[in-house]
Every structure is written in structure tokens, then in C-alpha cells.
Amino acid sequence: MPLSVLHSAQEWKARFGAAGRTALSVGNFDGLHLGHQKILQSIRERARANSQQAAVITFDPHPLRLLRPERTPRLIQTLAQRLAGFERMGLDAALILRFDLALSLVSAEDFIERVLVECMCVETIMVGANFCFGHRGAGNVQLLSKFGKMRGFNVEIIPPVEIQGQVVSSTAIRNAIEAGNVGDATALLGRPFPLTGEIRTGAGRGRTILFPTLNLAPEQELLPKLGVYATECVLNEKTYPSVTNVGTRPTFDGQGVTVESHLFGFADQVTSGSMEVRFHARLRDEQKFSGVDQLRAQIARDIEAAREYFSRHGGLGERQSQI
């Protein structure tokens, strides 16, 4: 079943009414990492066992964009990517609340009564131990539990997921990606970090004097550290092992950041359409070369390094490219 996406408490009530009992969670869920997945999987299982809606409440824009603009993180995912992830996780519905001044002033108690109880008919809510909500973040799991006992819903605290002693969090993933440690990000996300967007026409140097590339205009705010990576590109439902440069092309003009990928075994001329680039491993920093010949030789070495990477990891790219 496709995910039902609602944008207000009124819209939710009109769609599901008072009979729509729910198991749910609340949060930003940026990245839908392993910790998020643990919570959402638990919600889905509980909802299926008790004939409830498996639901999630999320916010757009990120609350810090209004409350602390200078501290707003660069987001791992777009809202559309988050919603697609909710659907893949098997959730039934998502309530997207616009985070504006009015919502920021709603007290934790009113949020519980007006949104969780009256609107969503919550029977079970699952959150992390550090969950906070409401005006000035005054609500916490203790307040939730108190209201749960009074209003007849269950509150379950889901322990954090740890990978090699590190708690999985959106902040840890952002730090890893910004440092170029995309392998660490993969471990925390449970999948390679993807950039999605539209293909844009470049200067044409790759096809004429170097190696043909496809240029991506990313949708996301967060980009990996400038450099060269072993990647996979998903294009027209096919997956190609690839090498991707995230950088400013210092050998040429050095203006603006671009995301350019050379796809192995792909020779078509494509100037538009959507593409996804999945980052598997960092190969090197971006460099400025003395000329085209030196750059061409380095790109050839990068391609070989990426092939060796995929070979060491069970031919991942080649195997997926046949799907």
C-alpha cells in the first residue's frame, strides 16, 4: 500500500477519523539511519499485531531553521527522500507538520492532547530516551509516560543503536560525510550515502579530452568532502559502478562545486533526467594538475582503484548493475 501523506491535524482527522488507532513515532528522521529504522520497524510490527495504523509525525522545515538558523544542519535527505523511506519501511501514513512560529509555541501538553490523542488516536508511541518536544523542548519521555497513564496509551523507549561503540545519530553521519568518511556513514546509515538530482550539461571536456562524465545537480544540502570517490550511479533503473569527483575542477576554472561521475560500461550521451550517486569509498583528495595529460593519467588510476574496490567487496557494483 502507498504511504498516505497528510499535512495537518484536520486533514488527518478527515482521512482517518476517530477509528484510526495508531502506533507512531515523532521526529525529524533525517537520514533514516539504523536507529530510526529500529524504531520504525518496531512501530510497524506493533501496528500489524494490533490492527493499528503504523504512522510517523515529522516536521518541515527542520525546527532549527526557525529557532536557531545559525545552527541549522545541512540535511542528509530531502523531505521527498524521507517519505520514500517511510514507504519502504512499510509505514501506512505520515503526518508532516509545518514547523512555523505557531507550532513552535505549542506546549508539550497541548501537543499530546491535540495532536497525539485527539487527532491521531495514539495507542502506542515509540521514541528514543532523549526525545523532547513542545515549546522550548519542555516535553520529555517522563511527561509522555505521565500522560500515557492518564489517557490510555503506551509509551515505549527504544534504546539507541551502537556501531563499534558509537551511537548512531544524524549528527554523527553528517560529520562523517563532511569529513569524507563515507564508509563510516554507510555503517551508520545501513546503506551507502546517496546524492540524488538532475543531470546537467557540463563543459564537455570529459567526452572530448578526458573520460565521459555525467554531471549531477544535487537536491540535498549535504555534500561529501571535496575529493574523488568509488561510487555507484543509478540511472534509468540500472546501477553502474563509477568514479565520482566532488570538487571545483582546479585544473581548469576552479569555479563552483560540481559532482561529476564516470560510469563504467556506459557510453550513452545523456544531458537530462534523474540520477542517484551512492558513495562507497573515498579514493583521494581533489588535486590541481599541471595539464590535461597528467589529469587523464590520474583519472585512469582512479578508475582502476574503484574497480579494485568493488572487486574486493564481492563485485558489488558489477553485480548490482545487472539488476
Side-chain angles (χ1 to χ4, degrees), residues 52-101:
Q52 301 165 354
Q53 292 276 350
V56 64
I57 300 174
T58 193
F59 305 97
D60 184 55
H62 193 288
L64 285 178
R65 195 172 297 278
L66 174 73
L67 301 175
R68 298 285 189 275
E70 71 283 359
R71 294 177 52 194
T72 304
R74 289 190 290 175
L75 297 183
I76 302 166
Q77 288 182 310
T78 64
L79 177 59
Q81 289 172 329
R82 255 188 293 164
L83 294 175
F86 294 153
E87 185 166 280
R88 287 193 297 270
M89 289 288 299
L91 300 186
D92 299 309
L95 175 59
I96 306 169
L97 295 180
R98 177 165 183 77
F99 198 90
D100 54 17
L101 180 60

Coordinates of all heavy atoms in Angstrom, one line a residue, residues 52-101:
Q52 N -3.5 -1.7 13.9 CA -3.4 -0.2 14.0 C -2.7 0.4 12.8 O -2.2 -0.4 12.0 CB -2.6 0.1 15.3 CG -3.1 -0.4 16.6 CD -2.1 -0.3 17.7 OE1 -0.9 0.0 17.5 NE2 -2.5 -0.7 18.9
Q53 N -2.8 1.7 12.7 CA -2.1 2.4 11.6 C -0.6 2.5 12.1 O -0.4 2.9 13.3 CB -2.6 3.8 11.4 CG -4.0 3.9 10.8 CD -3.9 3.8 9.3 OE1 -2.9 3.9 8.7 NE2 -5.1 3.6 8.7
A54 N 0.3 2.2 11.2 CA 1.7 2.5 11.5 C 2.1 3.8 11.0 O 2.0 4.0 9.8 CB 2.6 1.4 10.9
A55 N 2.3 4.8 11.9 CA 2.4 6.2 11.5 C 3.6 6.9 12.0 O 4.3 6.4 13.0 CB 1.1 6.9 11.9
V56 N 3.9 8.0 11.4 CA 5.0 8.9 11.9 C 4.6 10.3 11.7 O 3.9 10.7 10.8 CB 6.3 8.5 11.0 CG1 6.1 8.9 9.6 CG2 7.5 9.2 11.6
I57 N 5.1 11.1 12.7 CA 4.9 12.6 12.6 C 6.3 13.2 12.4 O 7.3 12.9 13.1 CB 4.4 13.2 13.9 CG1 3.0 12.6 14.2 CG2 4.3 14.7 13.8 CD1 2.4 13.1 15.5
T58 N 6.5 14.0 11.3 CA 7.7 14.6 11.1 C 7.5 16.1 10.8 O 6.3 16.5 10.7 CB 8.5 13.9 9.9 OG1 9.8 14.4 9.9 CG2 7.8 14.2 8.6
F59 N 8.5 16.9 10.6 CA 8.4 18.3 10.5 C 9.1 18.8 9.3 O 10.1 18.3 8.8 CB 9.0 19.0 11.8 CG 8.4 18.5 13.0 CD1 9.1 17.5 13.8 CD2 7.2 18.9 13.5 CE1 8.5 17.0 14.9 CE2 6.7 18.4 14.7 CZ 7.3 17.5 15.4
D60 N 8.6 19.9 8.7 CA 9.2 20.6 7.6 C 8.9 22.1 7.7 O 7.7 22.4 7.8 CB 8.7 20.0 6.3 CG 9.4 20.6 5.1 OD1 10.6 20.6 5.0 OD2 8.7 21.2 4.2
P61 N 9.9 23.0 7.7 CA 11.3 22.7 7.7 C 11.8 22.1 9.0 O 11.0 22.0 9.9 CB 11.9 24.0 7.3 CG 11.0 25.0 8.0 CD 9.6 24.4 7.8
H62 N 13.1 21.8 9.0 CA 13.7 21.4 10.3 C 13.5 22.5 11.3 O 13.7 23.7 11.1 CB 15.2 21.2 10.1 CG 15.9 20.5 11.2 ND1 16.2 21.1 12.4 CD2 16.5 19.3 11.3 CE1 16.8 20.3 13.2 NE2 17.0 19.1 12.5
P63 N 13.1 22.2 12.6 CA 12.8 23.2 13.6 C 13.9 24.2 13.8 O 13.6 25.4 14.1 CB 12.6 22.3 14.8 CG 12.0 21.1 14.3 CD 12.7 20.8 13.0
L64 N 15.2 23.8 13.7 CA 16.3 24.7 13.9 C 16.3 25.8 12.9 O 16.9 26.9 13.2 CB 17.6 24.0 14.0 CG 17.9 23.2 15.3 CD1 19.2 22.5 15.2 CD2 17.9 24.1 16.5
R65 N 15.7 25.6 11.7 CA 15.8 26.6 10.7 C 15.0 27.9 11.2 O 15.3 29.0 10.8 CB 15.2 26.1 9.4 CG 15.5 27.0 8.2 CD 15.1 26.3 6.9 NE 15.8 25.1 6.7 CZ 17.0 25.1 6.1 NH1 17.7 26.2 5.8 NH2 17.6 23.9 5.9
L66 N 14.0 27.6 12.0 CA 13.2 28.7 12.6 C 13.8 29.2 13.9 O 13.9 30.4 14.2 CB 11.8 28.3 12.8 CG 10.9 29.3 13.5 CD1 10.6 30.5 12.6 CD2 9.6 28.6 14.0
L67 N 14.2 28.2 14.8 CA 14.5 28.5 16.2 C 16.0 29.0 16.3 O 16.3 29.9 17.1 CB 14.3 27.3 17.0 CG 12.9 26.8 17.1 CD1 12.8 25.5 17.9 CD2 11.9 27.8 17.6
R68 N 16.9 28.4 15.6 CA 18.3 28.7 15.7 C 18.9 28.6 14.3 O 19.6 27.6 13.9 CB 19.1 27.7 16.6 CG 18.6 27.7 18.0 CD 19.1 29.0 18.8 NE 18.8 28.9 20.2 CZ 17.7 29.2 20.8 NH1 16.7 29.7 20.0 NH2 17.5 29.1 22.1
P69 N 18.6 29.6 13.4 CA 19.1 29.4 12.0 C 20.6 29.2 11.8 O 21.0 28.5 10.9 CB 18.7 30.8 11.4 CG 17.5 31.3 12.2 CD 17.9 30.8 13.6
E70 N 21.4 29.8 12.7 CA 22.8 29.7 12.6 C 23.3 28.3 13.0 O 24.4 27.9 12.6 CB 23.5 30.7 13.5 CG 23.4 30.4 15.0 CD 22.0 30.7 15.7 OE1 21.2 31.2 14.9 OE2 21.9 30.5 16.9
R71 N 22.4 27.5 13.6 CA 22.8 26.1 14.0 C 22.1 25.0 13.1 O 22.2 23.9 13.4 CB 22.4 25.9 15.4 CG 23.2 26.7 16.4 CD 22.8 26.4 17.9 NE 22.7 25.0 18.2 CZ 22.1 24.5 19.3 NH1 21.5 25.4 20.1 NH2 22.1 23.2 19.5
T72 N 21.4 25.5 12.1 CA 20.6 24.6 11.3 C 21.6 23.6 10.5 O 22.5 24.1 9.8 CB 19.8 25.3 10.2 OG1 18.9 26.2 10.9 CG2 18.9 24.3 9.4
P73 N 21.4 22.3 10.7 CA 22.4 21.4 10.0 C 22.0 21.3 8.5 O 20.9 21.6 8.1 CB 22.1 20.1 10.7 CG 20.6 20.2 11.1 CD 20.4 21.6 11.5
R74 N 23.0 21.0 7.7 CA 22.8 20.6 6.3 C 22.2 19.2 6.3 O 22.8 18.3 6.8 CB 24.1 20.7 5.5 CG 24.6 22.1 5.3 CD 25.7 22.2 4.3 NE 26.9 21.6 4.9 CZ 28.0 21.4 4.2 NH1 28.1 21.8 2.9 NH2 29.1 20.9 4.7
L75 N 21.0 19.1 5.7 CA 20.2 17.9 5.9 C 20.8 16.8 5.0 O 21.2 17.0 3.9 CB 18.8 18.1 5.5 CG 18.0 19.1 6.5 CD1 16.6 19.2 6.1 CD2 18.2 18.7 7.9
I76 N 20.7 15.6 5.5 CA 21.2 14.4 4.8 C 20.2 14.0 3.7 O 20.6 13.5 2.6 CB 21.3 13.2 5.8 CG1 22.3 13.5 6.9 CG2 21.7 11.9 5.1 CD1 22.2 12.6 8.1
Q77 N 18.9 14.2 3.9 CA 17.9 13.9 3.0 C 17.0 15.1 2.7 O 16.8 15.9 3.5 CB 17.0 12.7 3.5 CG 17.7 11.4 3.6 CD 16.7 10.3 4.1 OE1 16.1 10.5 5.2 NE2 16.6 9.2 3.4
T78 N 16.3 15.0 1.5 CA 15.2 15.9 1.2 C 13.9 15.3 1.9 O 13.9 14.1 2.3 CB 15.0 16.0 -0.3 OG1 14.6 14.7 -0.8 CG2 16.2 16.5 -1.0
L79 N 12.9 16.1 2.0 CA 11.6 15.6 2.5 C 11.1 14.4 1.6 O 10.6 13.4 2.2 CB 10.6 16.7 2.6 CG 9.2 16.3 3.0 CD1 9.2 15.7 4.4 CD2 8.3 17.5 3.0
A80 N 11.2 14.6 0.3 CA 10.7 13.5 -0.6 C 11.5 12.2 -0.3 O 10.9 11.1 -0.3 CB 10.9 13.9 -2.0
Q81 N 12.8 12.3 0.0 CA 13.5 11.1 0.2 C 13.1 10.4 1.6 O 13.0 9.2 1.7 CB 15.0 11.4 0.3 CG 15.6 11.7 -1.1 CD 17.0 12.2 -1.0 OE1 17.4 12.8 0.0 NE2 17.8 11.9 -2.0
R82 N 12.8 11.3 2.6 CA 12.3 10.8 3.8 C 11.0 10.0 3.6 O 10.8 8.9 4.2 CB 12.1 11.9 4.8 CG 13.2 12.0 5.9 CD 12.8 13.1 6.9 NE 12.8 14.4 6.4 CZ 12.2 15.4 6.9 NH1 11.5 15.3 8.1 NH2 12.3 16.6 6.4
L83 N 10.1 10.6 2.9 CA 8.8 10.0 2.7 C 8.9 8.7 1.9 O 8.2 7.7 2.3 CB 7.9 11.0 1.9 CG 7.5 12.2 2.7 CD1 6.7 13.2 1.8 CD2 6.7 11.9 4.0
A84 N 9.8 8.7 0.9 CA 10.0 7.4 0.2 C 10.6 6.3 1.1 O 10.2 5.2 1.1 CB 11.0 7.6 -1.0
G85 N 11.5 6.8 2.1 CA 12.0 5.8 3.1 C 10.9 5.3 4.0 O 10.9 4.1 4.3
F86 N 10.0 6.1 4.4 CA 8.9 5.7 5.3 C 8.1 4.6 4.5 O 7.7 3.6 5.1 CB 8.0 6.9 5.6 CG 8.6 7.9 6.5 CD1 8.1 9.2 6.5 CD2 9.6 7.6 7.4 CE1 8.7 10.2 7.3 CE2 10.2 8.6 8.2 CZ 9.7 9.9 8.1
E87 N 7.8 4.9 3.3 CA 7.0 3.9 2.5 C 7.8 2.6 2.4 O 7.2 1.5 2.5 CB 6.7 4.5 1.1 CG 5.8 3.6 0.3 CD 5.3 4.3 -0.9 OE1 4.3 5.1 -0.8 OE2 5.8 4.1 -2.0
R88 N 9.1 2.6 2.1 CA 9.8 1.4 2.0 C 9.9 0.6 3.3 O 9.9 -0.6 3.4 CB 11.3 1.7 1.5 CG 11.4 2.0 0.1 CD 12.8 2.0 -0.4 NE 13.7 3.0 0.3 CZ 13.8 4.2 -0.1 NH1 13.3 4.7 -1.2 NH2 14.6 5.1 0.6
M89 N 9.8 1.4 4.4 CA 9.8 0.7 5.8 C 8.5 0.1 6.1 O 8.3 -0.6 7.1 CB 10.1 1.8 6.8 CG 11.5 2.3 6.9 SD 12.7 1.0 7.5 CE 12.1 0.7 9.2
G90 N 7.5 0.3 5.2 CA 6.2 -0.3 5.4 C 5.2 0.4 6.3 O 4.2 -0.1 6.8
L91 N 5.5 1.8 6.5 CA 4.5 2.6 7.3 C 3.3 2.8 6.4 O 3.3 2.9 5.2 CB 5.2 3.9 7.7 CG 6.4 3.8 8.6 CD1 6.9 5.1 9.0 CD2 6.2 2.9 9.8
D92 N 2.2 3.1 7.2 CA 0.9 3.4 6.5 C 0.7 4.9 6.2 O 0.1 5.2 5.2 CB -0.3 2.9 7.4 CG -0.2 1.4 7.6 OD1 -0.1 0.6 6.7 OD2 -0.3 1.0 8.8
A93 N 1.2 5.7 7.1 CA 0.9 7.1 7.0 C 1.9 8.0 7.6 O 2.6 7.6 8.6 CB -0.5 7.4 7.6
A94 N 2.1 9.2 7.1 CA 3.0 10.2 7.6 C 2.2 11.5 7.8 O 1.6 12.0 6.8 CB 4.2 10.4 6.8
L95 N 2.3 12.2 8.9 CA 1.8 13.5 9.1 C 2.9 14.5 9.1 O 3.8 14.4 10.0 CB 1.0 13.5 10.5 CG 0.5 14.9 10.9 CD1 -0.5 15.5 9.9 CD2 -0.2 14.8 12.3
I96 N 3.0 15.3 8.1 CA 4.0 16.4 8.0 C 3.5 17.7 8.6 O 2.5 18.2 8.1 CB 4.4 16.6 6.6 CG1 4.8 15.3 5.9 CG2 5.6 17.6 6.5 CD1 5.0 15.4 4.4
L97 N 4.0 18.1 9.7 CA 3.6 19.3 10.3 C 4.6 20.5 9.9 O 5.8 20.3 10.1 CB 3.6 19.2 11.8 CG 2.6 18.2 12.4 CD1 2.7 18.2 13.9 CD2 1.2 18.6 12.0
R98 N 4.0 21.5 9.4 CA 4.9 22.7 9.0 C 5.3 23.3 10.3 O 4.6 23.8 11.1 CB 4.1 23.7 8.2 CG 4.9 24.9 7.8 CD 4.3 25.7 6.7 NE 5.2 26.8 6.4 CZ 6.3 26.8 5.7 NH1 6.8 25.6 5.3 NH2 7.1 27.9 5.5
F99 N 6.7 23.4 10.5 CA 7.2 24.0 11.7 C 7.3 25.5 11.5 O 8.3 26.0 10.9 CB 8.6 23.4 12.0 CG 8.9 23.6 13.5 CD1 8.5 22.8 14.5 CD2 9.6 24.8 13.8 CE1 8.8 23.0 15.8 CE2 9.9 25.1 15.2 CZ 9.5 24.2 16.2
D100 N 6.3 26.2 12.0 CA 6.3 27.7 12.0 C 6.2 28.2 13.4 O 6.3 27.5 14.4 CB 5.1 28.1 11.1 CG 3.8 27.6 11.5 OD1 3.7 27.1 12.7 OD2 2.8 27.6 10.8
L101 N 6.1 29.5 13.5 CA 6.0 30.2 14.8 C 4.9 29.6 15.6 O 5.1 29.4 16.8 CB 5.9 31.7 14.6 CG 5.9 32.5 15.9 CD1 7.2 32.3 16.8 CD2 5.7 34.0 15.6

